[in-house]
Amino acid sequence: MQTFGLIGNPLGHSFSKKYFEKKFKKEGLDCEYLNFELNTIEEFPTIIEKHPELAGLNVTIPYKQQIIRYLDKIDKEANFIGAVNTIKFERSNSQTRLIGYNTDAMGFELSIKHLLKKHYKKALILGTGGASKAVEFVLKKNGIAIREVSRRPLKANQMSYGLVNKQIIEDHQVIINTTPLGMHPDKDAYPDIPYKYINEDHLLVDLIYNPEETIFLKKGKENGATVINGEKMLLAQAEQSWKIWNH
């Protein structure tokens, strides 16, 4: 039996396990999908040792960047993005090589491409974790300049939440939440930005899919913005992961 799985923490909200188990059952595949909730990334080698049958892994918060040091090779696009969310296990002559890929970028682009308008010139990315790297890659690819918002800004293009004002909101027509704020079970949380300046010219994207409509999206919708959650992105990146594992 081929084994696939997901590493991250927490995994109570996990989309991947349910998705792949349903897929395996529907297609009559002799496979299993396991969740590996790691307290630290240093536990990763133990997972490999205990599960020699592993054929592929997905990677989620907070390990998309930390996992890179454990890989033997990284796909060109994943290397450019600086984050990995899919690992393929290549075995030959008793040797195992771990190859890292990023399917988040393709999933994100497929989910928003039809919503992009000509006046979308600048974007605010809320959060600076692994998922934000794929978002940044796609936006720049589509000619949209980005500014990151972080609790602890460290780079020139990053700013703190306290500095996001009327002018910043009006200048950035696309706003993407890449943080876990608002994700089940903490549904009442949301990024601290001045929503009153959002209007019908804005596009708000939340990478969260559970709940279907976060407070972040609800506040944007109430002010006339176009909104989309992360479900389409997740579906697309999951299928791309499956292709990679079976290529």
Side-chain angles (χ1 to χ4, degrees):
M1 178 186 287
Q2 278 192 309
T3 300
F4 301 91
L6 173 70
I7 64 167
N9 192 338
L11 296 180
H13 66 284
S14 171
F15 157 92
S16 300
K17 184 173 172 64
K18 291 177 184 176
Y19 177 81
F20 280 108
E21 285 181 340
K22 186 176 178 181
K23 179 182 180 68
F24 298 156
K25 186 175 181 180
K26 183 180 178 182
E27 298 180 17
L29 300 171
D30 187 25
C31 302
E32 65 176 351
Y33 195 97
L34 306 174
N35 277 348
F36 301 107
E37 193 164 282
L38 308 182
N39 292 317
T40 69
I41 194 62
E42 284 74 23
E43 295 175 13
F44 178 67
T46 307
I47 300 299
I48 308 301
E49 291 168 16
K50 288 183 178 179
H51 299 271
E53 72 285 4
L54 272 170
L57 286 170
N58 292 122
V59 184
T60 189
I61 293 171
Y63 300 128
K64 293 183 182 185
Q65 293 166 281
Q66 297 179 41
I67 192 64
I68 291 174
R69 66 179 184 263
Y70 292 96
L71 306 178
D72 298 295
K73 183 182 175 183
I74 304 175
D75 169 73
K76 187 177 178 181
E77 188 170 286
N79 188 50
F80 186 82
I81 292 168
V84 163
N85 77 314
T86 300
I87 303 170
K88 180 179 181 179
F89 288 63
E90 288 188 351
R91 292 188 171 87
S92 62
N93 302 321
S94 301
Q95 296 291 316
T96 302
R97 296 178 76 234
L98 275 56
I99 319 298
Y101 298 85
N102 189 301
T103 64
D104 279 340
M106 188 213 71
F108 180 68
E109 186 163 28
L110 283 175
S111 72
I112 67 158
K113 194 100 179 181
H114 66 293
L115 295 172
L116 296 181
K117 297 176 181 177
K118 288 182 179 179
H119 74 272
Y120 294 158
K121 302 296 183 186
K122 295 181 181 179
L124 275 185
I125 300 177
L126 310 181
T128 56
S132 74
K133 309 306 175 193
V135 168
E136 179 182 347
F137 173 79
V138 171
L139 293 173
K140 286 181 176 177
K141 180 182 170 185
N142 285 276
I144 299 173
I146 68 104
R147 189 87 183 265
E148 295 179 325
V149 184
S150 172
R151 288 176 299 170
R152 294 181 293 276
L154 298 171
K155 298 178 182 177
N157 72 326
Q158 295 177 352
M159 65 190 301
S160 67
Y161 283 89
L163 293 178
V164 180
N165 55 24
K166 181 176 185 286
Q167 190 66 52
I168 295 292
I169 293 290
E170 289 178 351
D171 284 349
H172 296 78
Q173 304 81 20
V174 182
I175 305 174
I176 304 102
N177 178 36
T178 71
T179 78
L181 286 170
M183 184 169 66
H184 177 82
D186 195 13
K187 298 180 193 176
D188 294 331
Y190 56 90
D192 185 16
I193 60 172
Y195 293 90
K196 61 185 177 182
Y197 303 124
I198 290 169
N199 57 45
E200 63 275 5
D201 291 330
H202 285 88
L203 167 66
L204 267 62
V205 184
D206 202 327
L207 300 195
I208 293 169
Y209 63 91
N210 182 12
E212 190 174 315
E213 186 176 84
T214 58
I215 292 179
F216 168 74
L217 293 183
K218 189 175 181 181
K219 285 176 173 287
K221 197 160 129 183
E222 285 170 353
N223 286 344
T226 300
V227 302
I228 182 174
N229 68 15
E231 187 175 13
K232 286 184 179 179
M233 174 181 171
L234 276 167
L235 290 169
Q237 68 84 15
E239 278 304 310
Q240 184 64 15
S241 292
W242 183 246
K243 287 178 184 176
I244 287 169
W245 294 333
N246 291 281
H247 180 63

